[in-house]
Amino acid sequence: MKRFLPSTSARLALLVMGSFLAAVVLIGGGLYYAVSRLLLSDARDLVRADAVALVDIYREGGRAGLLSELQARIHGDDGDPDAVYALSAADGSALVGQRPETSLPGPRGRWVEFREHASESAGDTLRVIAFEQRLSGGEVLLTGRRLQAQDRLLRLMQEAALRALLAAAVLAALVGWLTSRWVAHRLRGLDATAARVSAGELGLRAPLDHSGDAFDQVAHRFNAMLDRIEELLDGVRHATDHIAHDLRTPLTRLRNQLEELRHQALPEPVQLRLERAVAETDQLLQAFGALLRLARIEAQTLDADAPGVDLRAVVEDAVELYAPIGAERGIRLDTRLHATASVRGDRDQLFQLVVNLLDNALKYAPAASTVEVTLESSTSGVRLQVADQGPGIPEAERERVFDRFQRLEAHRGTPGVGLGLSLVRAIARHHGGRVALLDNAPGLRVAVLLPAT
């Protein structure tokens, strides 16, 4: 079972969202802890001051004076409603109030925290913090405060923190989404440029915003790499073109001399060798001519005001030209042409494209088979397809056969120099289209998609 992995943009959004929420939780938790500790410290300071005052009263008035003061504070109208007091005798019996059932404090006193019921009927409890100390007469004095105001403030802080966390989660999701969109937008420019360059637009470069950030530096290095690739390709192309141009003239002279020899009275074996030499020279001249045509096509750009071409008529002319050649081997050309299929461009180049496709199809199609030629229009453009029932091309080799002089091992013995599909792709790209090699099961189906006018 394939494991689900989110995209890089989604992981980036989740990382930003998680970091944002973690920061909010840490800050909110730290603030809550600091406030709670501060409130507890203030409450202890009040309890400690109250306990010191009661001890002073005990020293001056004894147990009776302390009992009187405690009764006045507990039952008096001016008493603090949050104050808690209790006094126990040395034997543990309660004199005033009720201390929690815990062990007795040591001579230095101790802090205790417990809960008491808010009322008899309600089940709510209040948190109490108190200081217990043993008096000189053996009595145990408890001085404390109810922390209801502090707890109420902390509850309000918790509710506010939950609301803030919810708002932070929404904001974090928005920030993460915007961040991932921004990163994807910056990378989309590089991706689009790479896709168009791989499709043949070697002069295209990635856009720069001159901000100097990491994306801008990557785009700059990407453009430098494309400049170097284009420079190397131009060097190879120019060298090939110069070789083809410089060798055409001596090859033509050589062919003419061989042709003159053929018209002389020579023995038959010599005549056969001369004919093979003339044929091989013609093949070389044809290869050099195809190289020069390929160079001219790749160097040209399609004019914006190029005339419209009826591709249906072009295909019909090419099929009419190659129908007798196919008939010699019993190969039938089955055409299914759309009523209207108009493209903008050069008619001679488009005719060359169709001729190369038909020539390849008839060359590799078995005898007494059918070559299908279809032409149809759609919203995506005009699609021309030529399909044969021959051996086809393995999928791993389909991209390589578009390179110059590339031929499969199985096709080495057949006529040709390996420039037919290179011309097809160059013409299609020159007209803003693309070429795809598909499986015809059996055979090869070549699909050319051109933009319609």
Side-chain angles (χ1 to χ4, degrees), residues 165-388:
L165 185 62
L166 179 60
V170 175
L171 183 60
L174 179 61
V175 171
W177 178 74
L178 291 176
T179 302
S180 65
R181 285 290 300 272
W182 177 76
V183 172
H185 174 72
R186 294 299 302 271
L187 294 177
R188 198 175 296 120
L190 289 175
D191 180 69
T193 302
R196 293 175 62 182
V197 169
S198 64
E201 299 184 49
L202 297 180
L204 192 66
R205 295 296 179 267
L208 301 174
D209 60 2
H210 305 288
S211 62
D213 61 3
F215 292 103
D216 201 54
Q217 293 178 13
V218 170
H220 181 73
R221 293 186 182 274
F222 184 75
N223 289 342
M225 178 187 67
L226 291 178
D227 291 337
R228 181 58 177 164
I229 291 174
E230 187 177 21
E231 180 183 348
L232 294 174
L233 289 177
D234 287 341
V236 173
R237 187 181 298 116
H238 290 159
T240 305
D241 298 341
H242 290 160
I243 292 173
H245 188 273
D246 294 341
L247 289 181
R248 254 183 112 181
T249 301
L251 279 174
T252 303
R253 288 199 299 265
L254 175 62
R255 189 193 183 285
N256 293 335
Q257 293 173 5
L258 292 174
E259 191 67 30
E260 291 177 0
L261 289 174
R262 286 179 60 190
H263 291 87
Q264 297 180 7
L266 298 173
E268 184 176 354
V270 177
Q271 287 286 350
L272 292 177
R273 290 184 179 181
L274 284 174
E275 289 179 0
R276 286 198 295 269
V278 170
E280 291 180 359
T281 306
D282 288 338
Q283 187 173 357
L284 285 174
L285 288 172
Q286 181 183 0
F288 289 141
L291 276 175
L292 293 176
R293 285 197 304 273
L294 184 59
R296 285 195 297 269
I297 292 172
E298 291 178 339
Q300 293 174 351
T301 57
L302 187 66
D303 295 335
D305 55 350
V309 178
D310 184 2
L311 192 58
R312 175 189 172 94
V314 173
V315 174
E316 288 176 343
D317 291 344
V319 170
E320 183 180 356
L321 177 65
Y322 272 83
I325 300 175
E328 293 179 358
R329 298 179 53 210
I331 299 175
R332 184 171 62 91
L333 294 180
D334 183 13
T335 59
R336 287 176 292 171
L337 309 181
H338 195 273
T340 57
S342 179
V343 298
R344 190 177 303 279
D346 187 310
R347 191 184 191 282
D348 292 338
Q349 291 184 11
L350 293 172
F351 183 77
Q352 181 73 57
L353 181 147
V354 181
V355 164
N356 283 12
L357 293 180
L358 291 176
D359 186 71
N360 277 348
L362 293 176
K363 186 185 300 180
Y364 300 114
S369 62
T370 302
V371 172
E372 297 181 356
V373 182
T374 61
L375 183 66
E376 56 186 1
S377 296
S378 64
T379 56
S380 58
V382 177
R383 181 182 295 272
L384 168 66
Q385 296 188 85
V386 178
D388 61 65

Side-chain angles (χ1 to χ4, degrees), residues 402-441:
F402 284 112
D403 297 335
R404 300 181 183 189
F405 302 110
Q406 289 293 334
R407 308 188 71 197
L408 300 180
E409 291 297 330
H411 301 162
R412 292 290 180 183
T414 58
V417 293
L419 289 173
L421 287 178
S422 299
L423 273 171
V424 169
R425 185 171 66 173
I427 295 171
R429 286 179 173 178
H430 177 67
H431 289 78
R434 61 180 183 271
V435 185
L437 302 183
L438 309 173
D439 189 6
N440 195 43

Side-chain angles (χ1 to χ4, degrees), residues 114-137:
F114 60 93
R115 290 186 172 273
E116 66 174 16
H117 291 285
S119 63
E120 295 294 335
S121 58
D124 296 339
T125 59
L126 299 177
R127 190 161 60 102
V128 178
I129 185 171
F131 184 73
E132 284 188 322
Q133 56 187 327
R134 187 178 293 275
L135 301 177
S136 58

